[in-house]
Amino acid sequence: MKLTREKLQSLLKERWAKDDGTTIREHTDKLLENLEKLKEYYKEEIEELIPKELPCELRDRFWDILELACEYHDYGKIHCMFQKKVENKNIELIKGLPEVKHNLLSPAFVNVKDELTKKIVRLLVLHHHPVERVSTEGVERVLKEEFGFEKSPISFLLKKGEMDYLRDDIARKFGLPEKELIKYYRLLKGLLLRIDHASSSKQAQEVEEKPPDDTLSFVDEFFKGMNINLNEMQVFIKENRDKNLVVIAPTGSGKTEAGFIYLQRKGFFMLPYRVSANSIYTRAEKIFGNCAGLLHSSALNYVLERDEQNEDIKNNKEDAVFLNYFLSRNFAKPIIVCTPDQLMHFVFRYKGFEKYYATALYSRLVIDELQSYDPITLAFIVKALEVLAQNGGKFLVMTATFPEFLKERFEGMGVEFKEFSLQQKPYHNVKIIQGTIDSGIEEIVKLSQEAKVLVVVNTVRKAIELKGKIPNAKLLHSRFILRDRKKKENEIKEFFDGWENGVWITTQLAEVSLDLDADYLFTELSTADSLIQRMGRCNRRGQKPTKEPNVFVFTNNCSGIGSVYYKDLHEKTLHNLKDGAWDWKFKWELMEKVYSENALRNTKYLENFNKAYRYITNLWEGTDSLTISKSQAKELFRDIDAVQVIPKEFEEEVKGLLQKWEEAKGNLAERVKLLSQILEYSFSLPVWSLKELEKQRIHDRLNIYYVEGNYSKDTGFELISSADTE
């Protein structure tokens, strides 16, 4: 007997959508509630993205189609075998009936008169979970024997790929422009996934928090309170907020605040490093208050630890911190500071990518420090921005050093370029020395007695070696355990902010994550972009005299060339150096000479970029999504080749924490805190290095290893030569 409408509605109220007893009706109503929020908060932004070339009756039906998809998406869960899976004991099983995934059944229940609407809704409902090879026989049996369908209304739908069906059975049949229909469908599907995933969250079921009318009012208030005026660059961004922009300006010229100005009502501020993201989040909180969220792989640990002294945390009222984090994970916060791997991995077009793609489209994106990415990740970001630009997305790229070879690609996206010097005089007087950095030790020691000296080398090994030759120097690099590294990061900031003189030796860490202002910089030659970033850590505000050299660049036997830095880029940088004052114009010309298309011809750097760009472009020209998961896409995006390790000498301390971690099963807050304490003893090592070391996994559920080796809180972890990837 065919299921009546009344019986169907009754089953939706009785049967479970989740193993916690939430009924299908309750879960569906939560989706409809979240849909209303999304529509209320971002209706205008989303409707701007609906392709204008589609017939207006289809454009007008956008929200109705999305509502129908939300309504029907989980109807298939009334299937008795699904109820068995969620342990609903009140259900009688039908003997011999196969188990069929709920999304394969749900489309059959879609009851809509308009044929075009019905086809789109059915396709959305079917594919809101990945569809692998389907046995239509099993689906037909369940629909017939359990629900009384004499003939399956969806067999043909199940036999075709998602995009094939959209093209052949919808676009062609109804005479719709194919490309525009695909854009329309992807937007619908992405929003459906957003709404469904948020509504399914155990921690925070909001798809969106109420945004401010315009975040600009927060920024204006901040500037007013600081009694400062917008500079030329910030005014330009304020006046061009509706355009896609690339802004090139020196370090220390107010790019962070400029990024905040661009964001409007909802936005993502993306930085390449978690440390940088943490720092910008702290600034965003001061301006936007509770509208700001932080999102990266260790964001929750960072916020909990940072707020340890906070009264709410001390009184065990951590709910606010957890809620803020999970709302950020849902992308519900109006302003989210994050690393690009949290959103831009949609570029891999894996199954379910539409959720991230649609979110990026109706948000504003700010990409900071573009020069910091390796050429492969850079290619992924450039392609992602290209896809967004083609589909109505809005972004601002801010950078101190722009790779010149990308200019044509960005111009092809219709992006407006603007360069600001904002420096009336040169901040740096440079001396090029044809010697190793060791030849500068005497001068380093001498100057450190009367000034603040920063020494930057290209590898950890070289930094440790140099520390042995300058006993009074302090050392910071990436192979200190987190507990010691944080202390050292605080020490180095306090040193450069204070009155004491001396010397610190560090690596690339200084150029990407630390806001320092040294009197003198001694550095091994790296590549043009890296060198200019390093120089930004000396005379940062331009208030110190520059008649005599304040930057010393050593060009011989530089460490890390070929492993940390591309050899050909290093050589091109070397050939274009000069002694004397380096103003912003010279630095910009240096970048052009090293990173122009001509200069990069036949280099490994450009080869890697082009390979990655071609690969990702082919994905977007293909018909089907990749079968990889979101987590695999994130790994590809980040090019993850690092793992957390703990020096063996801390095994006893860690074992005690692991025991408590095991005992805290089910207590999320306690487990996060304990994991954070375990990670205090860890640092990151490349996978290749790990292969060469004696190692042992600390727990079968944690991808962290004990490693044999020498560790000191003064010099960090010293790798054996065969394990040193640098």
Side-chain angles (χ1 to χ4, degrees), residues 491-530:
E491 280 176 32
I492 196 171
K493 281 175 189 166
E494 283 169 12
F495 170 79
F496 282 104
D497 287 343
W499 299 101
E500 186 188 347
N501 294 323
V503 56
W504 273 83
I505 301 166
T506 184
T507 57
Q508 301 91 305
L509 272 182
E511 62 190 73
V512 297
S513 61
L514 298 172
D515 187 358
L516 309 176
D517 189 6
D519 300 319
Y520 295 98
L521 170 70
F522 286 75
T523 178
E524 288 188 296
L525 179 63
S526 51
T527 51
D529 54 316
S530 161

Side-chain angles (χ1 to χ4, degrees), residues 67 73 130 142 159 192 198-199 254 296 356 378-379 416 438 445 472 475 488 516 521 668-669 712 714:
E67 184 179 340
H73 82 293
V142 171
K159 289 173 185 173
L192 172 63
S199 305
H296 57 66
Y356 301 90
L378 184 61
E416 184 166 338
D438 298 69
V445 172
N472 292 332
L475 179 65
K488 285 181 167 288
L516 309 176
L521 170 70
L668 177 64
S712 147
D714 290 325

Side-chain angles (χ1 to χ4, degrees), residues 25 30 59 76 95 149 234 425 452 553 633 664 670 715:
R25 186 69 261 160
K30 187 66 197 176
R59 298 205 311 271
K95 271 191 178 179
F149 284 90
Q234 292 159 345
K425 56 180 183 177
K452 295 178 188 298
V553 181
E670 191 57 28
T715 55

Side-chain angles (χ1 to χ4, degrees), residues 264-510:
Q264 296 206 15
R265 299 174 70 246
K266 184 174 182 68
F268 291 82
F269 197 119
M270 299 186 206
L271 298 113
Y273 304 100
R274 286 174 293 180
V275 182
S276 317
N278 294 343
S279 166
I280 298 298
Y281 169 62
T282 303
R283 288 164 76 174
E285 254 188 330
K286 285 176 185 164
I287 295 177
F288 302 113
N290 200 42
C291 287
L294 178 66
L295 190 59
H296 57 66
S297 56
S298 56
L300 185 54
N301 290 335
Y302 168 75
V303 179
L304 277 172
E305 188 185 314
R306 186 197 66 168
D307 291 351
E308 247 174 20
Q309 303 311 310
N310 182 303
E311 283 303 312
D312 283 349
I313 300 297
K314 282 199 271 188
N315 297 332
N316 292 321
K317 292 178 183 170
E318 291 146 327
D319 292 0
V321 171
F322 276 88
L323 181 62
N324 189 304
Y325 171 71
F326 285 111
L327 285 169
S328 299
R329 277 241 317 233
N330 281 1
F331 296 150
K333 284 279 172 191
I335 302 297
I336 295 176
V337 179
C338 63
T339 46
D341 59 289
Q342 298 299 319
L343 181 67
M344 303 294 265
H345 49 72
F346 76 78
V347 80
F348 281 97
R349 260 196 69 189
Y350 53 89
K351 290 185 183 295
F353 81 93
E354 296 92 346
K355 170 184 171 179
Y356 301 90
Y357 160 79
T359 307
L361 274 179
Y362 76 86
S363 307
R364 292 304 181 94
L365 310 187
V366 173
I367 318 283
D368 199 8
E369 298 182 23
L370 191 72
Q371 77 287 340
S372 299
Y373 297 97
D374 68 86
I376 294 170
T377 308
L378 184 61
F380 298 156
I381 290 174
V382 170
K383 185 63 191 178
L385 293 176
E386 195 176 284
V387 168
L388 294 175
Q390 287 166 354
N391 292 282
K394 291 281 189 285
F395 61 82
L396 161 67
V397 171
M398 300 189 303
T399 187
T401 54
F402 184 78
E404 175 65 13
F405 78 100
L406 292 176
K407 191 167 185 185
E408 209 173 294
R409 290 177 196 272
F410 276 97
E411 283 174 343
M413 301 178 209
V415 172
E416 184 166 338
F417 275 79
K418 194 75 174 175
E419 187 189 330
F420 296 92
S421 69
L422 299 175
Q423 290 180 353
Q424 303 306 314
K425 56 180 183 177
Y427 286 11
H428 304 112
N429 187 332
V430 181
K431 187 171 183 182
I432 309 300
I433 299 162
Q434 291 179 356
T436 67
I437 198 156
D438 298 69
S439 66
I441 288 174
E442 195 178 319
E443 186 69 7
I444 291 169
V445 172
K446 181 183 154 197
L447 286 172
S448 69
Q449 288 162 6
E450 58 195 46
K452 295 178 188 298
V453 178
L454 177 65
V455 179
V456 185
V457 292
N458 298 342
T459 64
V460 174
R461 180 176 288 273
K462 186 65 190 175
I464 294 171
E465 181 196 310
L466 209 54
K467 160 80 173 119
K469 296 174 182 179
I470 312 175
N472 292 332
K474 297 282 185 70
L475 179 65
L476 173 64
H477 56 68
S478 59
R479 288 194 212 136
F480 284 99
I481 63 169
L482 192 56
R483 182 183 67 186
D484 294 340
R485 177 168 160 176
K486 282 189 297 197
K487 280 182 195 164
K488 285 181 167 288
E489 283 179 353
N490 285 332
E491 280 176 32
I492 196 171
K493 281 175 189 166
E494 283 169 12
F495 170 79
F496 282 104
D497 287 343
W499 299 101
E500 186 188 347
N501 294 323
V503 56
W504 273 83
I505 301 166
T506 184
T507 57
Q508 301 91 305
L509 272 182

Side-chain angles (χ1 to χ4, degrees), residues 73 75-77 79 81-82 85 98-107 125-126 128-135 138-139 142 154 158:
H73 82 293
Y75 273 35
K77 286 184 177 179
H79 177 31
M81 299 305 286
F82 180 86
K85 198 170 160 182
E99 182 184 342
V100 172
K101 287 183 177 178
H102 76 275
N103 58 306
L104 305 182
L105 300 170
S106 294
V125 167
L126 174 64
H128 85 278
H129 284 293
V131 175
E132 307 305 334
R133 286 184 180 176
V134 176
S135 161
V139 176
V142 171
I154 56 167
L158 299 174

